[in-house]
Amino acid sequence: MRLLVGYILLLLPTLLFAQYQPTIASGRPGVAINTQTVGRGVYQVETGMTLGWEEVGSQKVRDITESTILRIGILERLEVSGAVIGSAVESRVFSGRNSWDRGISATELGGRYSFLDNEGWVPALVLDAAALLRAQDEEFQRDHTGARFIVSADWGLTEATNLTVNLNRTWVGDGTRNTGYVVSFGLSLSDRLGSFVEAYGDLSKPATAYFDGGFAYLIGNHVQLDAAVGWEGTNGVPSYYLDFGVSFRIDGRVLRERSIQDVN
């Protein structure tokens, strides 16, 4: 019992401090999962749309994906989240006219815990986990509930640059599992404008490498706009995508401070 109490006392400071940021820290744009949690009492929405094109012979097949993620800060280093992803996928048919499959393609429930802050060569470290649910439309229905685990590490190289590395393991829900990676380099261009380039793909056989990059712009402490472009290619079939979105948060700290000021 004394050992347990001692462990909790050692862990308590990491639960309470160090994650809150005065400006929004979004997971958009890009594939990489960053190492920041939103902070206790913060409600954050990250939403965006991806337009994709895949070249199959002389024909281009299109897809549109809309994703919305809600992140809720429980403690400074602990958050829970939910995601809804809708898709419209163009299907080739022999009549010469293509059809579209539309609907909810994925739903997720998960959480994130931050273990370490970056100090020198010791990276910031976070574990992100999610259950891949079966609440989908029939066209996209997975056979079983899946799961995903991501370990993310982040190093501040200079005041304006950082390096983020992700390793992930996914059980898709159809009997297969994948191991993947992301390596992302971020560059701050000003107090409000940031950019990134990254490589990502599968480590499972065969290994793959895809690339994307983009920009994020703060239009206020609590709102961010973003845009990115990317390239993917599997089995010699190239595909490209354009992604853009917005992130915003409701900061419970600010609301409480305003309430106190109004009362006084």
Side-chain angles (χ1 to χ4, degrees):
M1 180 60 72
R2 290 181 179 178
L3 182 61
L4 177 60
V5 172
Y7 176 76
I8 293 175
L9 291 175
L10 288 174
L11 184 63
L12 187 59
T14 70
L15 291 172
L16 296 177
F17 304 110
Q19 278 295 303
Y20 177 77
Q21 301 291 328
T23 57
I24 186 171
S26 175
R28 295 188 53 85
V31 179
I33 299 295
N34 61 34
T35 58
Q36 294 173 312
T37 53
V38 296
R40 182 172 59 87
V42 174
Y43 301 83
Q44 186 161 306
V45 176
E46 302 171 5
T47 185
M49 178 174 290
T50 304
L51 309 177
W53 299 267
E54 182 178 277
E55 297 182 359
V56 183
S58 60
Q59 189 177 28
K60 290 185 178 180
V61 178
R62 297 164 292 173
D63 62 81
I64 303 171
T65 302
E66 190 281 329
S67 63
T68 299
I69 301 172
L70 172 62
R71 300 168 60 183
I72 302 173
I74 304 301
L75 300 170
E76 292 303 331
R77 293 179 176 268
L78 176 66
E79 69 175 55
V80 295
S81 61
V84 177
I85 300 172
S87 298
V89 180
E90 188 177 29
S91 302
R92 292 175 297 159
V93 295
F94 294 107
S95 64
R97 297 184 61 184
N98 291 359
S99 64
W100 288 82
D101 292 327
R102 297 180 175 88
I104 302 299
S105 58
T107 52
E108 303 178 7
L109 285 177
R112 179 182 301 190
Y113 181 74
S114 173
F115 289 92
L116 295 173
D117 294 323
N118 178 210
E119 295 183 5
W121 289 104
V122 177
L125 192 66
V126 73
L127 173 64
D128 188 284
L132 311 182
L133 307 179
R134 300 184 70 245
Q136 303 157 283
D137 286 319
E138 183 177 356
E139 295 82 355
F140 304 97
Q141 186 73 59
R142 66 176 81 247
D143 297 330
H144 306 282
T145 300
R148 182 187 65 246
F149 294 91
I150 302 172
V151 175
S152 177
D154 183 273
W155 292 264
L157 304 179
T158 67
E159 290 186 358
T161 61
N162 72 285
L163 177 68
T164 302
V165 177
N166 290 178
L167 290 176
N168 60 76
R169 183 73 163 176
T170 304
W171 288 262
V172 181
D174 61 0
T176 63
R177 56 182 180 270
N178 302 315
T179 301
Y181 70 93
V182 186
V183 179
S184 180
F185 176 78
L187 172 63
S188 176
L189 302 175
S190 72
D191 291 341
R192 294 195 174 274
L193 180 63
S195 64
F196 77 98
V197 291
E198 62 186 10
Y200 62 97
D202 293 327
L203 294 174
S204 308
K205 295 181 180 180
T208 58
Y210 311 131
F211 306 93
D212 70 342
F215 299 90
Y217 181 73
L218 288 171
I219 61 174
N221 285 346
H222 308 296
V223 183
Q224 174 191 286
L225 302 178
D226 63 74
V229 295
W231 173 89
E232 295 183 351
T234 304
N235 298 325
V237 178
S239 64
Y240 312 88
Y241 62 87
L242 170 65
D243 181 69
F244 53 92
V246 60
S247 303
F248 61 91
R249 70 179 183 178
I250 299 173
D251 191 339
R253 301 164 191 261
V254 174
L255 295 178
R256 285 193 298 271
E257 290 176 0
R258 289 178 180 174
S259 298
I260 293 174
Q261 291 174 359
D262 291 340
V263 170
N264 294 334

